Amino acid sequence: MTEQSPALDNLLKESRTFPPGEEFAAQANATAELRAEADADRDAFWAKQAERLHWDTKWSQVLDWSGAPFAKWFVGGKLNVAYNCVDRHVESGHGDQVAIHWVGEPGDTRDITYAQLKDEVSKAANAFASLGVKAGDVVAIQLQMIPEAIIAMLACARIGALHNVVFGGFSPTALRARVDDAAAKIVITSDGQYRRGKAAPMKANVDEALEGAKTVEKVIVVRRTGSDLEGDAPWTEGRDLWWHDLVDAQSAEHRPEAFDSEHPLFILYTSGTTGKPKGILHTSGGYLTQAAYTHHNVFDHKAGEDVYWCTADIGWVTGHSYIVYGPLANRVTQVVYEGTPNTPHEGRHWEIVQKYGVSIYYTAPTLIRTFMKWGKEIPEKYDLSTLRVLGSVGEPINPEAWIWYRENIGAGKAPIVDTWWQTETGAIMISPLPGVTSTKPGSAQRALPGISAKVVDDQAQEVGNGGGGYLVLDKPWPSMLRGIWGDDERFKETYWSRFADQGFYFAGDGAKYDDDGDIWLLGRVDDVMNVSGHRISTTEVESALVSHPTVAEAAVVGASDATTGQGIVAFVILRGNADKDAASGEEAVQALRDHVAKEIGPIAKPRQIMVVPELPKTRSGKIMRRLLRDVAENREVGDVTTLADSSVMDLISSGLNSDK
Ligand code: 6R9
């Protein structure tokens, strides 16, 4: 990837930059000095960030990297993560502040103050302890976005148990693999979940998953759908307990014990776009420090003033770091919404923004492109004037979508923070700082103060401006993963072997520097296509397609081709206002191919373009190109257990077959 592909110029066609507004800059949490401070003395910088938290025992050393790649941060320090996220806000006189404005899909709501949250978390902690859950035990949680999900996570943290959250849409097979690998002792779930206006079973899936499971002693079930669910939730006497029976009976007094800074906090399995899912391990002090630091500076969050909404699911790392830990450590007031964005109508998110006066909104490009597909008339109907910071995470955001987001959601002025990070990094690593950075559509720009990222070539040499290569992290950071659960070798092999001599962490992503030295993410290196010897990134071709007025979303893959090595096959979803028949006709498809050729160059012209109703995505909205490659190469479609909606592949295949 050392050669400069012509395609960067395509991404850079949108060359406007957006300097911070004066008013915003004057009140911003982040300052230009932050970087200088971090560069001058990294350890001192992170020690200062750790002071955001309450420590029962102060650390004696900021970083111990002697056992690299296994880091220890804030060595000797002791803290309780749940105390930091809940109790201390009550003790400082903010017990009446709303922590969570919860909105159920059917329209029911609950406001939970910090004082109430403290009681609920304490009761749940007592309940788990009464079942024999001890520090170091693993609790699996498969729940939709209801307050009990957050309460359960915090209750685990409070007693030093590790949570292992499994996305609510995952199949019994996927759940079972994660329960077994982590040897979970308890599973927490619900009877059912509301999805697109219907009650769908959860407990029945969990029971199927747990058949014959060796480690699970108890299953705790939150009642959510009750009689709306067809048939009762299946029940195993002696093993299953209702959350309300168990938790409500407990005392609201619970003394949080201080745990070592390196005490494990959670395991989270990565989406598994390739290979067997990896149980990513995170620990306490460093993780919470970086989650709180980034949430404060990247979102410009002001406790007691802002209303924050991160639309992620807790089954994704974004839900862990930017719904639960970072925000609550910073005494957030936040919206948590249970359902899908188009139930009962496509304006649901904007209706919620208007109702609660949401000021910070953090979502994924996949949803932004969906909003584009539905059309700007939908957000136009609502008052979104409270929004002052917009965030994006999960995938590269195409310049087209970025501009749409800014204009139609951010009133042409709210700064957009395009945040690059991973389950493995635990918290945001590369992002603009609102109020400081002049933003550029499509670029995540710079490593945050205190973080070091580089783009290097095959030989681990940093590439120059305008050059592309591999994204690496060349210095340890507080919220870095501490390993893969039960597999130290795989941890070293996966992340530390590519640039072992240099000791770099290899993120698996391709990236480029532009002429200003800003970083542009180009997708996973495994997805890079090789057409007649030219390396072309999926991101670049997808962005070119999305810049066409009829296209809302695009996914491209390289399919083996006898002549060119690989040929580009594109799957596109059309925008809401596009005339479906006209836009999927032969002429229209030819026009799209020409459009890509014009935007990037003839070499990037897709061999084939298929119009589809949906794309296969993981829980975090990432396109599973592996499955599309199967379709493009006429193979049987592979493992679909980590798809957010496993029926999508049938939809795509049947649509294509009927075209033939
Ligand atoms: C937080 C999260 C990590 C992978 C990462 C990269 C992609 C995430 C991105 C981005 C471009 C961004 N990614 N944020 N690519 N720009 N702002 O998504 O974690 O689910 O582990 O995925 O997502 O490819 O390597 P995770």
Side-chain angles (χ1 to χ4, degrees):
M1 293 233 310
T2 41
E3 102 220 41
Q4 163 74 54
S5 100
L8 182 61
D9 301 337
N10 167 59
L11 284 175
L12 291 178
K13 244 181 210 150
E14 175 52 72
S15 59
R16 280 178 287 175
T17 60
F18 299 91
E22 248 169 64
E23 231 176 281
F24 193 104
Q27 60 81 62
N29 289 347
T31 58
E33 288 75 50
L34 210 56
R35 187 174 307 279
E37 194 189 319
D39 290 347
D41 186 340
R42 254 170 78 81
D43 282 11
F45 175 82
W46 283 116
K48 192 167 152 194
Q49 299 311 324
E51 299 288 357
R52 295 176 181 283
L53 310 179
H54 171 84
W55 296 81
D56 294 80
T57 308
K58 209 181 154 172
W59 59 88
S60 53
Q61 190 185 355
V62 173
L63 166 67
D64 176 0
W65 191 228
S66 60
F70 297 90
K72 291 196 175 112
W73 281 86
F74 307 112
V75 183
K78 281 185 194 288
L79 79 171
N80 185 286
V81 168
Y83 173 85
N84 271 283
C85 292
V86 184
D87 304 43
R88 67 173 171 141
H89 306 320
V90 179
E91 288 170 15
S92 66
H94 300 95
D96 291 339
Q97 182 184 325
V98 171
I100 299 170
H101 289 297
W102 178 77
V103 182
E105 194 184 84
D108 48 340
T109 60
R110 268 169 85 182
D111 281 350
I112 301 173
T113 65
Y114 275 98
Q116 290 165 335
L117 188 61
K118 174 172 177 278
D119 287 352
E120 291 307 316
V121 172
S122 300
K123 284 196 244 171
N126 282 323
F128 299 173
S130 77
L131 300 178
V133 180
K134 291 184 296 295
D137 285 344
V138 176
V139 175
I141 302 175
Q142 186 174 45
L143 280 172
Q144 66 273 42
M145 296 301 289
I146 51 177
E148 286 78 5
I150 297 170
I151 293 165
M153 290 166 75
L154 291 167
C156 287
R158 198 173 179 97
I159 60 175
L162 293 74
H163 51 73
N164 167 12
V165 180
V166 179
F167 178 57
F170 277 179
S171 65
T173 320
L175 172 62
R176 176 60 177 273
R178 288 156 178 74
V179 163
D180 282 353
D181 190 71
K185 203 166 169 178
I186 304 279
V187 177
I188 304 174
T189 189
S190 63
D191 51 352
Q193 61 174 332
Y194 292 105
R195 226 56 206 155
R196 298 178 207 285
K198 283 207 245 3
M202 290 273 281
K203 175 63 164 53
N205 290 345
V206 169
D207 275 18
E208 191 184 328
L210 296 186
E211 214 168 294
K214 299 253 166 357
T215 58
V216 177
E217 295 169 11
K218 297 282 176 205
V219 177
I220 306 174
V221 188
V222 179
R223 180 144 70 204
R224 172 63 185 137
T225 47
S227 57
D228 286 352
L229 192 69
E230 228 174 273
D232 286 339
W235 206 256
T236 304
E237 283 304 330
R239 185 196 67 178
D240 300 350
L241 299 155
W242 285 110
W243 174 283
H244 56 265
D245 286 341
L246 174 71
V247 174
D248 292 358
Q250 304 290 327
S251 153
E253 296 299 319
H254 180 271
R255 197 184 62 80
E257 183 187 336
F259 294 101
D260 192 274
S261 176
E262 283 300 332
H263 186 77
L265 181 61
F266 66 84
I267 311 169
L268 181 63
Y269 286 81
T270 51
S271 42
T273 27
T274 48
K276 169 176 177 263
K278 302 181 276 280
I280 303 300
L281 175 67
H282 282 288
T283 60
S284 306
Y287 170 80
L288 195 62
T289 295
Q290 195 175 328
Y293 157 71
T294 50
H295 177 260
H296 177 78
N297 285 295
V298 174
F299 299 111
D300 194 47
H301 173 256
K302 310 275 196 288
E305 294 172 31
D306 277 306
V307 180
Y308 168 86
W309 184 11
C310 167
T311 70
D313 190 281
I314 48 144
W316 182 21
V317 70
T318 306
H320 285 60
S321 303
Y322 297 104
I323 293 177
V324 182
Y325 293 112
L328 292 175
N330 289 341
R331 187 162 55 82
V332 79
T333 292
Q334 71 179 320
V335 166
V336 173
Y337 170 55
E338 180 186 35
T340 46
N342 52 350
T343 307
H345 58 80
E346 291 169 347
R348 189 74 193 264
H349 275 211
W350 317 125
E351 184 180 79
I352 292 172
V353 166
Q354 174 177 291
K355 174 169 177 196
Y356 293 101
V358 172
S359 54
I360 305 171
Y361 179 80
Y362 188 30
T363 195
T366 176
L367 196 56
I368 299 166
R369 290 188 298 259
T370 304
F371 292 141
M372 279 172 79
K373 182 172 72 180
W374 292 341
K376 67 177 171 28
E377 308 71 48
I378 311 259
E380 263 166 17
K381 286 190 239 156
Y382 300 88
D383 178 6
L384 307 181
S385 61
T386 49
L387 287 172
R388 61 180 203 92
V389 179
L390 301 177
S392 172
V393 58
E395 279 184 292
I397 170 164
N398 341 82
E400 192 76 14
W402 196 103
I403 294 283
W404 190 93
Y405 195 28
R406 179 178 165 96
E407 285 175 357
N408 297 291
I409 308 302
K413 61 172 195 272
I416 295 182
V417 289
D418 174 3
T419 64
W420 179 90
W421 59 293
Q422 308 178 295
T423 307
E424 292 87 342
T425 69
I428 298 171
M429 303 293 281
I430 304 177
S431 168
L433 285 172
V436 176
T437 314
S438 285
T439 53
K440 281 182 189 171
S443 170
Q445 300 189 283
R446 300 275 159 126
L448 291 178
I451 301 298
S452 187
K454 285 196 168 75
V455 182
V456 301
D457 63 19
D458 274 330
Q459 311 302 316
Q461 294 300 313
E462 187 167 16
V463 303
N465 285 359
Y470 304 99
L471 182 71
V472 298
L473 303 168
D474 60 327
K475 294 196 177 111
W477 62 99
S479 64
M480 67 196 293
L481 74 167
R482 300 301 198 263
I484 293 178
W485 188 248
D487 202 341
D488 288 352
E489 271 320 301
R490 190 170 180 210
F491 170 57
K492 291 185 208 157
E493 172 60 33
T494 310
Y495 306 106
W496 304 93
S497 65
R498 181 70 186 74
F499 298 106
D501 293 347
Q502 297 76 20
F504 294 167
Y505 168 93
F506 175 41
D509 283 357
K512 284 176 179 177
Y513 289 128
D514 66 15
D515 291 338
D516 304 324
D518 279 324
I519 297 175
W520 293 69
L521 276 309
L522 297 177
R524 306 292 296 167
V525 291
D526 304 340
D527 287 337
V528 169
M529 301 170 294
N530 193 328
V531 183
S532 305
H534 294 263
R535 307 193 62 143
I536 299 176
S537 95
T538 49
T539 303
E540 293 165 319
V541 182
E542 286 161 9
S543 277
L545 284 163
V546 173
S547 73
H548 192 275
T550 58
V551 177
E553 278 221 71
V556 313
V557 298
S560 55
D561 186 294
T563 343
T564 57
Q566 278 187 320
I568 301 177
V569 177
F571 297 79
V572 301
I573 301 182
L574 299 176
R575 283 206 206 186
N577 54 5
D579 174 341
K580 294 269 155 17
D581 291 332
S584 30
E586 216 164 283
E587 254 172 62
V589 164
Q590 187 54 39
L592 276 183
R593 297 178 67 232
D594 292 343
H595 177 73
V596 175
K598 183 172 108 280
E599 294 288 305
I600 307 181
I603 188 76
K605 204 174 189 167
R607 179 183 81 186
Q608 198 182 356
I609 296 181
M610 310 191 206
V611 175
V612 291
E614 283 296 341
L615 291 168
K617 289 182 188 152
T618 65
R619 65 190 153 176
S620 59
K622 289 190 228 318
I623 296 162
M624 289 186 75
R625 294 188 183 72
R626 162 171 75 74
L627 300 177
L628 293 174
R629 245 182 330 259
D630 291 342
V631 173
E633 295 184 337
N634 290 320
R635 261 196 310 275
E636 195 171 321
V637 172
D639 182 12
V640 297
T641 49
T642 56
L643 276 181
D645 175 358
S646 54
S647 64
V648 166
M649 286 317 293
D650 298 335
L651 210 62
I652 292 174
S653 309
S654 64
L656 296 177
N657 290 337
S658 69
D659 282 353
K660 275 179 197 156

